[in-house]
Amino acid sequence: MPAGTIRYWAAAKAAAGAAEEPYTAATLAEALDAVRERHPGELTRVLQRCSFLVDGDPVGTRSHETVRLAEGGTVEVLPPFAGG
């Protein structure tokens, strides 16, 4: 199973209590399920509003179950930002 890094930004970073942590998952959905198990509560609520980049590419409206993760990859968790 691929292993990589999840990076949290802004409110997600505050809710996770860390800037980043490792993942071991084949899909974005699996990685996020593991995050929710490790961080129940505020981070789970923040994730509902986040957008995601996987290895620099926006996930957009794609189903998280279809987004494959690569060995050594990076998932960026981006909460909505204020301003323009």
Side-chain angles (χ1 to χ4, degrees):
M1 189 156 319
T5 302
I6 297 176
R7 289 191 185 137
Y8 300 108
W9 298 97
K13 179 179 175 181
E20 62 182 45
E21 64 183 341
Y23 72 73
T24 302
T27 67
L28 179 57
E30 291 174 9
L32 293 177
D33 285 346
V35 165
R36 289 181 191 101
E37 286 180 22
R38 283 192 303 271
H39 304 282
E42 184 60 23
L43 183 56
T44 297
R45 289 185 287 280
V46 170
L47 288 175
Q48 294 173 354
R49 301 184 312 267
C50 289
S51 57
F52 304 93
L53 299 176
V54 174
D55 297 330
D57 293 326
V59 171
T61 59
R62 289 183 287 162
S63 170
H64 295 168
E65 289 82 11
T66 66
V67 179
R68 306 292 300 168
L69 300 180
E71 180 68 31
T74 303
V75 174
E76 307 277 347
V77 180
L78 307 169
F81 294 93

